[in-house]
Amino acid sequence: MEALGRSEDVLAKASQVWTMLDDMAENSPESYRQFIQQQLDSAKQYYAPPEPHLCLEARILEPTENRLFVNLCSWNKVPPPQSQSDPVPLSAGKMDTFAKSEPYSIVDIAYNPSVLEQGKNPSEEDRLIRLSLKFIEERYSVSLSPTYSVAKHKLKGSLERMRHSLRGGRPTAPPSEKNAPLRKEVTLDQLRNITAQEEDSSLTLLTEKTVPHKPCLIEEISSTERPEEPKSPAYEVTTRKDASGRALQLEVRVEVPEVRCVSECNLSISKDDLLMECLPQYRLHLSLPESVEEEAASARFFKKKGLLLVTMPVCQQNRAPSAE
């Protein structure tokens, strides 16, 4: 009976909301339009995929020595710290290991954009990086070298792999509110007062199997709330060539009849692949037949035809040298 009563309360509140919206649409159409647009913009921002921020190169010492790349990413779905006294939330994917001639592993970690914005200060960035590396040691039971370097590229591996890894993150229990008064919280602003020695001796991070007994600097969040899987749209890839047969330009035509506005689409292009997401309807990831100049790429949306046209110049260095 209690559950039934709660359901009736929810329905009653929902009815009040719909009544309010009906009145707003009738009496103040402009306010209604702004309200709906605000909700759409918020939803689009929330469901936007994680984006690469910077890539670190470190080294795993134990249990097996190996190179480690850490992709630090920006993701609106990760909440910012609730207050100055709360730990910094993050979302982490699994550790992927690639057995090539020179084996290496990749870990993807996402923070709220506001956290990375604070990290633009070099000292803050260094401390955030060291906290991330310490989290990796705790989370994946590895021992890392104390040194690291920032890679020239922002992302190791493909954009598709990184996003799939973060969206498939496993849930972690939130910190216990009962223990909150007993914990001395340390925030990103206070990290400037912490030395590397102090971090090594007192840092304990929240993991899936342990409850923190020491200061909790970073809180891992769940990424289990996902929208329905989008469908793959029809597409066509065309290579434009010159008279000698050299590739000059790639054109990708994507049919998106359910898209009403170009703002519904998010397009990411790297040198070797293309990712288009018009959530929740469509998602397309392509490996490109030629390396392209991603900075010079352009896109046009034809609303009446429901067609997205992406044009990408082929990299100059891929062309064969002219015969002398």
Side-chain angles (χ1 to χ4, degrees), residues 25-68:
E26 182 176 352
N27 299 320
S28 182
E30 180 61 24
S31 298
Y32 177 78
R33 187 194 65 78
Q34 292 178 359
F35 175 80
I36 295 299
Q37 186 62 47
Q38 182 181 10
Q39 303 309 306
L40 292 173
D41 292 342
S42 298
K44 179 184 175 184
Q45 186 179 38
Y46 179 77
Y47 285 111
E51 296 293 340
H53 178 70
L54 63 82
C55 179
L56 309 172
E57 183 172 356
R59 193 155 198 90
I60 299 175
L61 301 179
E62 295 179 355
T64 303
E65 189 168 353
N66 193 15
R67 283 197 305 165
L68 174 67

Side-chain angles (χ1 to χ4, degrees), residues 218-234:
I218 294 180
E219 171 192 351
E220 186 178 4
I221 67 167
S222 167
S223 58
T224 55
E225 296 181 7
R226 305 181 221 170
E228 296 182 3
E229 288 296 321
K231 56 191 174 184
S232 180

Side-chain angles (χ1 to χ4, degrees), residues 14-310:
S15 179
Q16 292 175 1
V17 171
W18 283 114
T19 300
M20 179 196 73
L21 291 175
D22 288 341
D23 292 342
M24 184 185 295
E26 182 176 352
N27 299 320
S28 182
E30 180 61 24
S31 298
Y32 177 78
R33 187 194 65 78
Q34 292 178 359
F35 175 80
I36 295 299
Q37 186 62 47
Q38 182 181 10
Q39 303 309 306
L40 292 173
D41 292 342
S42 298
K44 179 184 175 184
Q45 186 179 38
Y46 179 77
Y47 285 111
E51 296 293 340
H53 178 70
L54 63 82
C55 179
L56 309 172
E57 183 172 356
R59 193 155 198 90
I60 299 175
L61 301 179
E62 295 179 355
T64 303
E65 189 168 353
N66 193 15
R67 283 197 305 165
L68 174 67
F69 292 93
V70 183
N71 293 322
L72 295 187
C73 305
S74 173
W75 198 10
N76 282 306
K77 204 167 186 179
V78 179
Q82 294 183 3
S83 71
Q84 294 296 321
S85 61
D86 282 324
V88 181
L90 65 80
S91 179
K94 65 178 183 177
M95 179 181 288
D96 291 329
T97 300
F98 300 86
K100 297 187 177 182
S101 56
E102 295 185 13
Y104 62 88
S105 299
I106 302 178
V107 172
D108 306 287
I109 296 179
Y111 292 98
N112 185 272
S114 64
V115 174
L116 298 175
E117 186 70 21
Q118 294 181 49
K120 285 185 176 181
N121 180 291
S123 61
E124 297 289 350
E125 180 182 81
D126 178 71
R127 286 170 172 79
L128 179 63
I129 288 172
R130 294 194 180 279
L131 285 175
S132 301
L133 295 177
K134 191 65 179 177
F135 167 80
I136 290 173
E137 289 188 313
E138 297 285 340
R139 174 70 163 74
Y140 303 100
S141 301
V142 297
S143 177
L144 301 180
S145 167
T147 61
Y148 70 88
S149 62
V150 178
K152 293 181 180 180
H153 48 271
K154 288 186 177 181
L155 182 70
K156 181 66 174 178
S158 69
L159 199 63
E160 167 77 2
R161 189 213 62 81
M162 177 269 286
R163 288 173 172 171
H164 183 270
S165 172
L166 288 174
R167 283 170 167 159
R170 296 159 61 188
T172 296
S176 170
E177 293 298 328
K178 295 180 180 179
N179 295 333
L182 303 178
R183 294 204 309 268
K184 180 183 177 183
E185 303 291 350
V186 182
T187 66
L188 204 58
D189 287 339
Q190 296 166 334
L191 292 181
R192 60 173 59 89
N193 299 320
I194 302 177
T195 64
Q197 182 179 0
E198 288 173 338
E199 289 177 355
D200 292 341
S201 63
S202 66
L203 177 62
T204 298
L205 300 175
L206 185 66
T207 63
E208 294 176 1
K209 298 181 180 179
T210 63
V211 176
H213 299 289
K214 295 181 182 180
C216 175
L217 304 184
I218 294 180
E219 171 192 351
E220 186 178 4
I221 67 167
S222 167
S223 58
T224 55
E225 296 181 7
R226 305 181 221 170
E228 296 182 3
E229 288 296 321
K231 56 191 174 184
S232 180
Y235 68 91
E236 179 184 9
V237 180
T238 304
T239 303
R240 303 293 181 188
K241 301 180 179 180
D242 62 13
S244 63
R246 296 174 182 172
L248 298 178
Q249 180 177 277
L250 295 183
E251 287 186 357
V252 180
R253 296 172 177 265
V254 188
E255 296 180 10
V256 286
E258 296 179 28
V259 174
R260 296 291 175 265
C261 178
V262 69
S263 62
E264 298 177 21
C265 294
N266 185 68
L267 186 65
S268 297
I269 301 173
S270 69
K271 187 176 181 180
D272 302 309
D273 67 354
L274 174 149
L275 179 66
M276 184 213 72
E277 292 181 311
C278 302
L279 301 177
Q281 299 98 331
Y282 303 108
R283 188 173 188 274
L284 175 66
H285 179 249
L286 293 177
S287 294
L288 301 175
E290 304 279 351
S291 294
V292 300
E293 298 177 6
E294 62 266 38
E295 298 297 331
S298 62
R300 296 177 62 191
F301 178 63
F302 300 89
K303 183 176 180 180
K304 291 183 179 180
K305 296 181 180 180
L307 179 70
L308 181 67
L309 175 63
V310 185

